[in-house]
């Protein structure tokens, strides 16, 4: 098994200068899963809710609570908890997060009124 391996010097220079992430990133795929409304949005301060805009990315984290061992919460880039995923589906997302999968949550719609507030997100699985 004597094989000749040809190494492109441009690829090596790219990896040395910018890291392997720039080479692998084009292989990244986002698999759309669903749109959903967050629950418990009313627990988020209104001053923080009005800052959330369409297109903002939220971080999903699996956090056990006293009442729900599979709770998944959504956070802003500043670390403010916006709300939770529904109990009906959070088990799937909690297991994906526990397995090391990357989930992307993007704000699709948001609204803040004096009676109620809502945040709708689109969830995608980021796969390589």
């Amino acid at each position: 098994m004597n094989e000749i391996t040809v190494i492109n010097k441009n690829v090596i220079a790219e990896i040395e200068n910018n890291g392997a992430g720039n080479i692998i990133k084009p292989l990244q795929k986002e698999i759309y899963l669903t749109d959903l409304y967050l629950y418990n949005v009313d627990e988020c301060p209104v001053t923080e809710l009005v800052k959330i805009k369409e297109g903002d990315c939220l971080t999903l984290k699996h956090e056990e609570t006293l009442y729900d061992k599979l709770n998944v919460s959504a956070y802003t880039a500043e670390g403010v908890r916006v709300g939770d995923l529904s109990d009906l589906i959070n088990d799937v997302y909690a297991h994906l997060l526990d397995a090391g999968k990357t989930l992307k949550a993007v704000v699709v719609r948001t609204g803040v009124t004096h009676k109620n507030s809502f945040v709708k997100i689109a969830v995608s699985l980021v796969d390589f």
Side-chain angles (χ1 to χ4, degrees):
M1 298 220 92
N2 294 334
E3 296 179 14
I4 298 175
T5 303
V6 178
I7 299 175
N8 186 332
K9 291 182 181 180
N10 293 333
V11 173
I12 293 173
E14 181 72 25
I15 291 171
E16 288 175 349
N17 294 333
N18 301 312
N22 290 335
I23 305 280
I24 296 172
K25 201 169 224 170
L27 303 176
Q28 181 174 331
K29 296 183 293 185
E30 287 185 17
I31 302 165
Y32 169 78
L33 300 175
T34 189
D35 283 357
L36 52 91
Y37 286 94
L38 294 176
Y39 287 81
N40 301 326
V41 175
D42 56 330
E43 295 176 10
C44 182
V46 175
T47 55
E48 295 296 330
L49 276 177
V50 295
K51 295 179 186 176
I52 299 171
K53 306 290 181 223
E54 292 180 16
D56 287 354
C57 287
L58 300 178
T59 303
L60 298 178
K61 295 181 182 178
H62 174 200
E63 300 177 323
E64 290 187 22
T65 66
L66 182 62
Y67 305 104
D68 187 3
K69 293 184 187 232
L70 297 172
N71 183 59
V72 176
S73 298
Y75 288 85
T76 64
E78 293 79 30
V80 177
R81 186 176 152 273
V82 178
D84 303 314
L85 274 59
S86 167
D87 293 345
L88 300 174
I89 58 166
N90 65 357
D91 59 334
V92 173
Y93 297 107
H95 290 301
L96 285 171
L97 290 167
D98 288 347
K101 299 296 182 182
T102 302
L103 296 177
K104 180 179 176 183
V106 178
V107 176
V108 176
R109 289 182 53 206
T110 184
V112 179
T113 66
H114 65 282
K115 290 188 178 184
N116 64 2
S117 303
F118 68 90
V119 176
K120 183 178 184 181
I121 61 173
V123 181
S124 301
L125 173 68
V126 181
D127 197 16
F128 293 94

